[in-house]
Amino acid sequence: GLIVARKGDKIGYTNLNGETVIPFIYDWGAADFSEGLAFVRIKNKIGFIDIKGQEIIPFIYDNASNFSEGLAVVAVKDKYGFINKKGEIQIKLEYDLAHEFSCGLAQIKKNNKVGFIDTTGKIVIPIIYDGAVGFSKKLRIATVNESGKWHKINLKGEVIND
């Protein structure tokens, strides 16, 4: 029921009637709340707020994404990992890039190769691909590029077409 809005050079959140619910004090933020939290930026640092505007996770990150499956991507100094809703590091910030979880897996990039991890940080699909389009919740497949050839894979990393 909240809508991100801009007033001057700041963003805040309003209700459906246009009434300010969360003050216009942020430099940038998530369009939507995800799992009860939204990431917002103040002075080049990102933290997370709840639907009342209370700071839940401190403003210490350089980059972040929405929560998905209980975890959010965060980055410090170009290293990405995942935090839980308490702000605790769940998966070490060691990747060159990371994407939100879908179907229990998140796409990660390290040393210019892509793979997938589970919510515990275990590598489920090896970091061997040149590129990928993450898992579709509806189809439960991902598309990966290996040496210029695209394949569809299942949640176990098995190729399901050629």
Side-chain angles (χ1 to χ4, degrees):
L2 296 182
I3 301 167
V4 67
R6 178 169 293 283
K7 189 181 281 185
D9 63 348
K10 300 293 182 186
I11 67 138
Y13 292 84
T14 66
N15 62 21
L16 297 176
N17 296 324
E19 300 163 332
T20 300
V21 176
I22 298 174
F24 291 83
I25 60 172
Y26 304 105
D27 299 325
W28 177 75
D32 295 314
F33 280 78
S34 177
E35 299 185 14
L37 299 175
F39 61 89
V40 288
R41 181 185 306 262
I42 294 179
K43 297 180 183 175
N44 291 324
K45 289 296 178 183
I46 296 173
F48 290 80
I49 60 172
D50 66 13
I51 59 172
K52 295 178 182 176
Q54 298 296 313
E55 179 182 316
I56 302 301
I57 298 171
F59 290 81
I60 59 174
Y61 298 104
D62 299 326
N63 204 345
S65 75
N66 286 324
F67 273 88
S68 175
E69 300 184 20
L71 300 175
V73 176
V74 293
V76 174
K77 297 182 181 177
D78 296 324
K79 287 298 175 187
Y80 290 75
F82 295 83
I83 59 171
N84 62 25
K85 291 183 188 176
K86 294 177 183 176
E88 302 163 333
I89 301 290
Q90 190 78 31
I91 299 171
K92 185 178 172 185
L93 281 69
E94 63 178 310
Y95 298 106
D96 301 327
L97 191 61
H99 296 273
E100 294 176 15
F101 277 91
S102 179
C103 303
L105 299 178
Q107 180 181 325
I108 45 90
K109 184 175 187 177
K110 194 170 192 176
N111 300 322
N112 288 320
K113 295 291 182 179
V114 175
F116 294 85
I117 58 174
D118 67 16
T119 57
T120 69
K122 177 184 172 200
I123 296 172
V124 175
I125 298 171
I127 306 171
I128 59 171
Y129 297 104
D130 299 316
V133 177
F135 282 91
S136 158
K137 287 183 182 182
K138 184 176 180 180
L139 300 176
R140 301 179 68 79
I141 59 170
T143 307
V144 294
N145 183 304
E146 187 173 19
S147 302
K149 187 171 181 181
W150 289 92
H151 307 280
K152 291 189 183 338
I153 59 171
N154 63 21
L155 293 168
K156 295 178 183 175
E158 300 166 332
V159 174
I160 57 175
N161 80 322
D162 252 345

